[in-house]
Amino acid sequence: MNRPLRVTVVAPYGVIGGAELWILSLLDVTDRLDVDAVLLADGPLRQEFERRGVPCALRPTGRSVPELAGAAVWLARRLRAGRPDVVLANGVKAATVAAPAARLCAVPCVWAKHDHSYDGALTAALAAVTDGCIGTEPGLIAASRHPRAALVPVPAPSGPALPRAEARAELARRGARLDGDERLLLTISRLVSYKGVDDAVEALARPGGRGWRLAVVGPDDPSDPGERARLTALAGRLGVADRVDFAGWIQDAWRVIPAADCVAVLTKPDGTGPGQEAFGGTAIEAMLNGVPVITTGPGSVADRVAGPAEAPPGGIAVPPADPARVADALGRLADPAARTELGRAGLRRTAANPGPAECAALLARTLAEAARLPGAGLRGSAPVSVVVTALDQGPEVDRLLGLTLPQLTVPGDELVLVDRGSTDDTLHRVAVRTSRDPRIRLLYRPGTGCAAARDAGVEAAARESVVCVEADCVPAPDWLDRLRAAAAEPEPAGVLFGVCRATGEGVRGRAMATAYPLPEEYRGVPRPGARVHRLLFGRGLGAPGARSCAFTRRVWRDAGGFPEGPETCAELLFERAAERAGHRTATAGSAEVEWVLRASVRQAARMSYRDGARLGRSADRGRLARGAVRAAVSAGVLAAASARRGVRPVLSATACGYLSPALVRAVRGGDLIVLPAVPPCAGVLMAARGAGAARGLLGRFTAGPPGAGRQGGGIP
């Protein structure tokens, strides 16, 4: 099993509410996450983390802009030292601190949205600066405005609740004055005004609530320190103090829910909270125990409890801040038959709710994909078919087979090599290996293009899971295990792309290799400087092709196979076709292959020109517009430099800026001897790519849409 994902959890408060119970319950059942925590306020949550062996750092932070900014700077220093794979910001305040800090350190940040607070400009800003979003209810996914939002719902509790008699005895030990089997209304929440506990207290003083007793389970909240005293005074004024009890915080409070005849979730918009309840953990736990719920609506919890109309409700939805309607609902629930009917309906509504293990798997998958490390902490066990295409690449094929065959460790693994008509000793080398290893199968398809040969290999594959790799690659020893693990995620991405490390032979080869991004640059997110460079100069040379990828035959069929033609980029179009068919794509940043540049500068420039032409031919409208603007600016600078000597320093600065990523890669790699060769070698490749892209753009207007004129590509 590869190492767990390193996650820094940023929690905004030290209290234990629904959002905190959500993360704690998921951490309890997964070994895929190696967690440390940063708390922006002290409280019982720190003890809960420490009890689980999670290292904690405390940075008390208020809500003012200077305090939030100071905490972000402090967190950035901590992230830079610890280098986690991803940050999980558990709430709006946490995301406000964590998102800028993570951006400064090039660490991905995922924001967990638990309620509808700040559903406006702040939510839109957080969606723009975070790399993923988790919503605990479907309504929060839409409200997040995030293009990469994923649902990780509130899990059903693991294990049984207490029997009714034991649950009532536990509440009695906590101070609830229960006498016999009288009807009990239960609230479980932090003591803050917007939770609407005062509406439950007022309902007891009205006719419908006069036969009920209220037990309030939940801790005091530092943000509203006078709430318990306010509720106690209110109960005294209304003459119901003898029927209102405060039980304090109970660990695993859901276990005492069977003591109640009804559970109330009465969140309301009072100007201090989110306005409506979106989390709904208490409501889910009540319905799972067959206890009816009174909740305020509209909202996600009301939809779960009382809607849709065609299904029997599991409780009663009332308007917020309306004690009279709460009392009316209690009056209806005074009938044991009504309580039984609603309780059974609620149980049916929540029977399919996922448990902690399933929700934890979804959380780990979401965080791992944001970190571009899908499969972290997993071991894949499904057999795969590795498909390789080759043409006159005998030594390369021999090396690839020698490195790949030891990685075929699962029974049923195979390697399908498709020869496109080699005239060297490729076929002989493969035949020798095939005679010794029955896992190798050879297909001979002379005259076919790369995409058509790859399609033929996928068509012939015996396994549903397929991994494609180029013959001139040098896979890392764990390359296939990493892709196999990424495919073992719950609901994995439809297409998984590995990463490639370009290397070279000799000074010129190593200088040319600096033009290509390093695998580390695909893990994490671009630094602010890299984002500015991309804005000014585009993505540069880009990765040296999709040299390894994994998918299923179903995804391949849905995408229509790999298109081939003189002006297409097959891997890019395959990725887009898979996405149009409804499949996600992701980068497996730990599945690494090496690609050695053995070509001369002239040969490499020709290859870059062809790659640029294919990309230009298949570019989307947004990339076209950005490329046109950059081309116009570059042409203007060049024309001005030609006409006026004073502008030539600007041209030099522009050229240095364009080449800066390649120079930085050489310096960081410690290969200082190649620095003088980087500008001419890497610069030629980049210029060739740009020229090819311009040629490809022109071809769009004369050769029809991308993917037209297939030459043997697509599903056979």
Side-chain angles (χ1 to χ4, degrees), residues 563-565 567-569 573 617-618 704-711:
E564 181 169 343
E567 296 287 353
T568 62
C569 186
L573 293 179
R617 180 70 184 87
S618 58
R710 289 176 181 260
Q711 297 181 353

mmCIF file of all heavy atoms in Angstrom, residues 563-565 567-569 573 617-618 704-711:
data_model
loop_
_atom_site.group_PDB
_atom_site.id
_atom_site.type_symbol
_atom_site.label_atom_id
_atom_site.label_comp_id
_atom_site.label_asym_id
_atom_site.label_seq_id
_atom_site.Cartn_x
_atom_site.Cartn_y
_atom_site.Cartn_z
ATOM 1 N N PRO A 563 -8.932 9.283 -31.610
ATOM 2 C CA PRO A 563 -8.944 9.803 -32.987
ATOM 3 C C PRO A 563 -7.536 10.006 -33.510
ATOM 4 O O PRO A 563 -6.617 10.322 -32.768
ATOM 5 C CB PRO A 563 -9.676 11.139 -32.838
ATOM 6 C CG PRO A 563 -9.372 11.572 -31.446
ATOM 7 C CD PRO A 563 -9.296 10.301 -30.631
ATOM 8 N N GLU A 564 -7.380 9.817 -34.818
ATOM 9 C CA GLU A 564 -6.072 10.015 -35.425
ATOM 10 C C GLU A 564 -6.218 10.807 -36.715
ATOM 11 O O GLU A 564 -7.162 10.603 -37.480
ATOM 12 C CB GLU A 564 -5.395 8.678 -35.735
ATOM 13 C CG GLU A 564 -4.010 8.855 -36.343
ATOM 14 C CD GLU A 564 -3.240 7.553 -36.396
ATOM 15 O OE1 GLU A 564 -3.629 6.610 -35.696
ATOM 16 O OE2 GLU A 564 -2.259 7.490 -37.141
ATOM 17 N N GLY A 565 -5.289 11.707 -36.954
ATOM 18 C CA GLY A 565 -5.256 12.497 -38.164
ATOM 19 C C GLY A 565 -4.046 13.394 -38.136
ATOM 20 O O GLY A 565 -3.393 13.543 -37.099
ATOM 21 N N GLU A 567 -3.753 16.501 -38.027
ATOM 22 C CA GLU A 567 -3.873 17.770 -37.314
ATOM 23 C C GLU A 567 -4.589 17.602 -35.980
ATOM 24 O O GLU A 567 -5.241 18.519 -35.511
ATOM 25 C CB GLU A 567 -4.639 18.784 -38.175
ATOM 26 C CG GLU A 567 -3.937 19.150 -39.466
ATOM 27 C CD GLU A 567 -2.738 20.042 -39.240
ATOM 28 O OE1 GLU A 567 -2.530 20.486 -38.096
ATOM 29 O OE2 GLU A 567 -2.006 20.298 -40.198
ATOM 30 N N THR A 568 -4.537 16.429 -35.398
ATOM 31 C CA THR A 568 -5.244 16.230 -34.137
ATOM 32 C C THR A 568 -4.288 15.820 -33.041
ATOM 33 O O THR A 568 -3.206 15.290 -33.282
ATOM 34 C CB THR A 568 -6.336 15.149 -34.276
ATOM 35 O OG1 THR A 568 -5.705 13.914 -34.609
ATOM 36 C CG2 THR A 568 -7.336 15.522 -35.321
ATOM 37 N N CYS A 569 -4.697 16.070 -31.829
ATOM 38 C CA CYS A 569 -3.959 15.637 -30.635
ATOM 39 C C CYS A 569 -4.816 14.553 -29.987
ATOM 40 O O CYS A 569 -5.787 14.848 -29.290
ATOM 41 C CB CYS A 569 -3.744 16.819 -29.699
ATOM 42 S SG CYS A 569 -2.692 16.436 -28.288
ATOM 43 N N LEU A 573 -8.068 14.952 -27.373
ATOM 44 C CA LEU A 573 -9.428 14.756 -27.876
ATOM 45 C C LEU A 573 -10.094 13.565 -27.205
ATOM 46 O O LEU A 573 -11.311 13.571 -26.972
ATOM 47 C CB LEU A 573 -9.401 14.571 -29.393
ATOM 48 C CG LEU A 573 -8.972 15.805 -30.200
ATOM 49 C CD1 LEU A 573 -8.961 15.488 -31.681
ATOM 50 C CD2 LEU A 573 -9.883 16.989 -29.917
ATOM 51 N N ARG A 617 -4.536 22.947 -33.429
ATOM 52 C CA ARG A 617 -5.676 22.452 -34.199
ATOM 53 C C ARG A 617 -6.835 22.057 -33.292
ATOM 54 O O ARG A 617 -8.001 22.177 -33.677
ATOM 55 C CB ARG A 617 -5.216 21.235 -35.016
ATOM 56 C CG ARG A 617 -6.294 20.609 -35.875
ATOM 57 C CD ARG A 617 -6.662 21.519 -37.045
ATOM 58 N NE ARG A 617 -7.757 20.947 -37.808
ATOM 59 C CZ ARG A 617 -9.037 21.128 -37.532
ATOM 60 N NH1 ARG A 617 -9.387 21.881 -36.511
ATOM 61 N NH2 ARG A 617 -9.967 20.578 -38.271
ATOM 62 N N SER A 618 -6.529 21.593 -32.069
ATOM 63 C CA SER A 618 -7.582 21.078 -31.184
ATOM 64 C C SER A 618 -7.889 22.009 -30.013
ATOM 65 O O SER A 618 -8.639 21.643 -29.117
ATOM 66 C CB SER A 618 -7.168 19.708 -30.630
ATOM 67 O OG SER A 618 -5.942 19.799 -29.941
ATOM 68 N N GLY A 704 -11.517 21.753 -41.463
ATOM 69 C CA GLY A 704 -12.691 21.242 -40.777
ATOM 70 C C GLY A 704 -12.462 21.095 -39.291
ATOM 71 O O GLY A 704 -11.409 21.431 -38.765
ATOM 72 N N PRO A 705 -13.439 20.570 -38.579
ATOM 73 C CA PRO A 705 -13.355 20.477 -37.120
ATOM 74 C C PRO A 705 -12.322 19.460 -36.673
ATOM 75 O O PRO A 705 -11.963 18.545 -37.405
ATOM 76 C CB PRO A 705 -14.780 20.034 -36.723
ATOM 77 C CG PRO A 705 -15.279 19.304 -37.930
ATOM 78 C CD PRO A 705 -14.692 20.018 -39.104
ATOM 79 N N PRO A 706 -11.788 19.635 -35.454
ATOM 80 C CA PRO A 706 -10.831 18.672 -34.920
ATOM 81 C C PRO A 706 -11.425 17.273 -34.908
ATOM 82 O O PRO A 706 -12.595 17.072 -34.590
ATOM 83 C CB PRO A 706 -10.562 19.170 -33.495
ATOM 84 C CG PRO A 706 -10.927 20.608 -33.529
ATOM 85 C CD PRO A 706 -12.029 20.733 -34.532
ATOM 86 N N GLY A 707 -10.580 16.302 -35.241
ATOM 87 C CA GLY A 707 -11.047 14.921 -35.248
ATOM 88 C C GLY A 707 -11.559 14.495 -36.592
ATOM 89 O O GLY A 707 -11.862 13.331 -36.811
ATOM 90 N N ALA A 708 -11.736 15.435 -37.544
ATOM 91 C CA ALA A 708 -12.186 15.058 -38.863
ATOM 92 C C ALA A 708 -11.071 14.330 -39.591
ATOM 93 O O ALA A 708 -9.899 14.505 -39.345
ATOM 94 C CB ALA A 708 -12.602 16.309 -39.644
ATOM 95 N N GLY A 709 -11.467 13.523 -40.558
ATOM 96 C CA GLY A 709 -10.477 12.825 -41.362
ATOM 97 C C GLY A 709 -9.708 11.797 -40.580
ATOM 98 O O GLY A 709 -8.496 11.732 -40.637
ATOM 99 N N ARG A 710 -10.397 10.925 -39.800
ATOM 100 C CA ARG A 710 -9.702 9.892 -39.043
ATOM 101 C C ARG A 710 -8.952 8.962 -39.996
ATOM 102 O O ARG A 710 -9.458 8.597 -41.051
ATOM 103 C CB ARG A 710 -10.706 9.062 -38.231
ATOM 104 C CG ARG A 710 -11.319 9.821 -37.065
ATOM 105 C CD ARG A 710 -12.376 8.943 -36.399
ATOM 106 N NE ARG A 710 -13.007 9.628 -35.300
ATOM 107 C CZ ARG A 710 -12.694 9.446 -34.032
ATOM 108 N NH1 ARG A 710 -11.740 8.620 -33.727
ATOM 109 N NH2 ARG A 710 -13.313 10.100 -33.078
ATOM 110 N N GLN A 711 -7.785 8.547 -39.588
ATOM 111 C CA GLN A 711 -6.999 7.602 -40.370
ATOM 112 C C GLN A 711 -6.795 6.343 -39.536
ATOM 113 O O GLN A 711 -5.777 6.130 -38.901
ATOM 114 C CB GLN A 711 -5.645 8.210 -40.758
ATOM 115 C CG GLN A 711 -5.785 9.428 -41.661
ATOM 116 C CD GLN A 711 -4.432 9.984 -42.056
ATOM 117 O OE1 GLN A 711 -3.403 9.554 -41.572
ATOM 118 N NE2 GLN A 711 -4.438 10.948 -42.951
#
